[in-house]
Amino acid sequence: MAQYQRIFAALDGASTQKAVAQRAVALAVDNGAQLLFGHVIDSVPNEANGADYDALCTEGLARIEEELADELQEARSSASIPSVDVQVRAGRVAETLAEQLVEP
């Protein structure tokens, strides 16, 4: 019996990121759940320097797609997972996670 309909996995670029992705894929397969990977680029340290957040998000997404290519391919090719999405946003981390990724 499926327990979860949606699985959200926060990615932070740490050495454990691959293990987090593998576990999220396994949970999504076991539950037939939608899968969303999310990463937030913290805007606080860069708010005063005019950072190009769109470019940073694009670069971050490309990096995640490359670093987790095997895990994303497994998820995207699984008939058990109805959808797989990777999103990279910029903002204050806690607020962005809550307002844009976890509870949209």
Side-chain angles (χ1 to χ4, degrees):
M1 176 179 206
Q3 184 175 6
Y4 302 108
Q5 294 178 350
R6 295 184 319 160
I7 305 291
F8 172 75
L11 304 174
D12 63 0
S15 61
T16 58
Q17 179 169 273
K18 189 172 280 283
V20 168
Q22 291 168 346
R23 181 66 178 138
V25 170
L27 282 170
V29 167
D30 289 347
N31 288 275
Q34 299 173 344
L35 181 56
L36 171 61
F37 293 102
H39 175 74
V40 178
I41 297 169
D42 190 359
S43 65
V44 173
N46 299 307
E47 286 176 345
N49 72 6
D52 182 350
Y53 291 111
D54 288 337
L56 289 172
C57 289
T58 300
E59 291 166 11
L61 179 59
R63 186 183 68 252
I64 290 168
E65 290 280 349
E66 180 180 327
E67 291 174 0
L68 299 178
D70 293 340
E71 291 76 15
L72 292 171
Q73 175 60 32
E74 177 185 351
R76 289 174 174 146
S77 65
S78 173
S80 301
I81 302 176
S83 66
V84 179
D85 194 13
V86 180
Q87 295 186 19
V88 177
R89 304 287 175 87
R92 294 176 183 262
V93 175
E95 295 166 2
T96 304
L97 280 171
E99 296 170 7
Q100 295 183 29
L101 294 171
V102 176
E103 299 181 30

